[in-house]
Amino acid sequence: MKTCLIVIDAQESFRQRSYWNQALADAYLAQQNALIEGCAASGMPIVRVFHTDAPSDASNPFAVESGHVRPLAGLTDFEAAATFTKHRHSALVNSGLDVWLTQNGIGRLIVSGIRTEQCCETTTRHASDLGWEVDYVVDATLTFGMVQPDGQPLSAADIKARTATVLQGRFATVCTVAQALERAVA
């Protein structure tokens, strides 16, 4: 089955947010880069997805005008088989990615990127519902701590564990980098 790595929203825009955590980003980049390098070495197509939204001015880090909608510093440079821009949480909504995947005979997606529980999880659920087999590499995703509605903190590690739990066996196979690379070759 032809596999494609999708790198979602690994962009400088996030570094401009108050919740940015460099230690979490460093751990993520090590895993994301290993995944990119492994996929590139095997000749697997790698797709880049950027997120943009309004307002379209330099003060919004997710606006093209800000100059921050570009690859995250520290991310391994790779030649993207295709690059898509999205405006919704799922990378498959009105971006053209779904058409490209179908036209290129892709049957399995490896999902990675930023944010674990937001765009990566939403894309995974959407892709599964559309019939793609999905490998979700939770270690090659990045998120940040949040505050729950009751005011209690929720750590990035807890968010990642929750995401892995709800995706596993329902929408995706949750994998390590090594497992995703092995499954893609099989």
Side-chain angles (χ1 to χ4, degrees):
M1 177 183 306
K2 192 169 180 185
T3 303
C4 175
L5 170 62
I6 302 177
V7 181
I8 300 171
D9 301 349
Q11 62 193 66
E12 279 296 309
S13 305
F14 285 100
R15 195 181 302 273
Q16 311 313 307
R17 295 294 198 205
S18 62
Y19 52 73
W20 179 258
N21 180 312
Q22 190 60 47
L24 293 174
D26 290 342
Y28 154 72
L29 283 167
Q31 296 296 312
Q32 180 71 81
N33 289 342
L35 185 59
I36 290 168
E37 291 162 11
C39 290
S42 73
M44 184 185 310
I46 304 171
V47 169
R48 183 187 311 272
V49 178
F50 288 120
H51 184 90
T52 64
D53 62 27
S56 297
D57 63 60
S59 67
N60 173 9
F62 288 91
V64 172
E65 294 80 0
S66 73
H68 300 300
V69 180
R70 58 186 161 82
L72 188 64
L75 186 70
T76 292
D77 189 32
F78 63 91
E79 185 173 337
T83 299
F84 298 91
T85 300
K86 67 180 185 60
H87 310 285
R88 299 281 187 246
H89 295 106
S90 172
L92 296 165
V93 174
N94 297 325
S95 67
L97 174 59
D98 56 338
V99 173
W100 185 90
L101 293 168
T102 300
Q103 288 176 341
N104 285 276
I106 305 296
R108 176 184 287 137
L109 310 179
I110 300 174
V111 173
S112 65
I114 305 175
R115 292 184 63 162
T116 305
E117 78 294 349
Q118 194 165 316
C119 297
C120 296
E121 179 179 339
T122 303
T123 299
T124 296
R125 288 172 179 260
H126 192 175
S128 174
D129 283 349
L130 291 175
W132 278 285
E133 187 173 327
V134 182
D135 288 352
Y136 189 88
V137 186
V138 72
D139 293 338
T141 68
L142 174 62
T143 197
F144 309 93
M146 299 172 75
V147 176
Q148 299 178 75
D150 67 2
Q152 296 298 311
L154 186 62
S155 72
D158 287 342
I159 293 169
K160 286 180 130 187
R162 172 248 167 234
T163 299
T165 300
V166 299
L167 292 179
Q168 176 58 39
R170 295 174 184 92
F171 299 97
T173 299
V174 175
C175 303
T176 64
V177 169
Q179 290 167 333
L181 294 172
E182 182 179 306
R183 286 173 48 82
V185 175

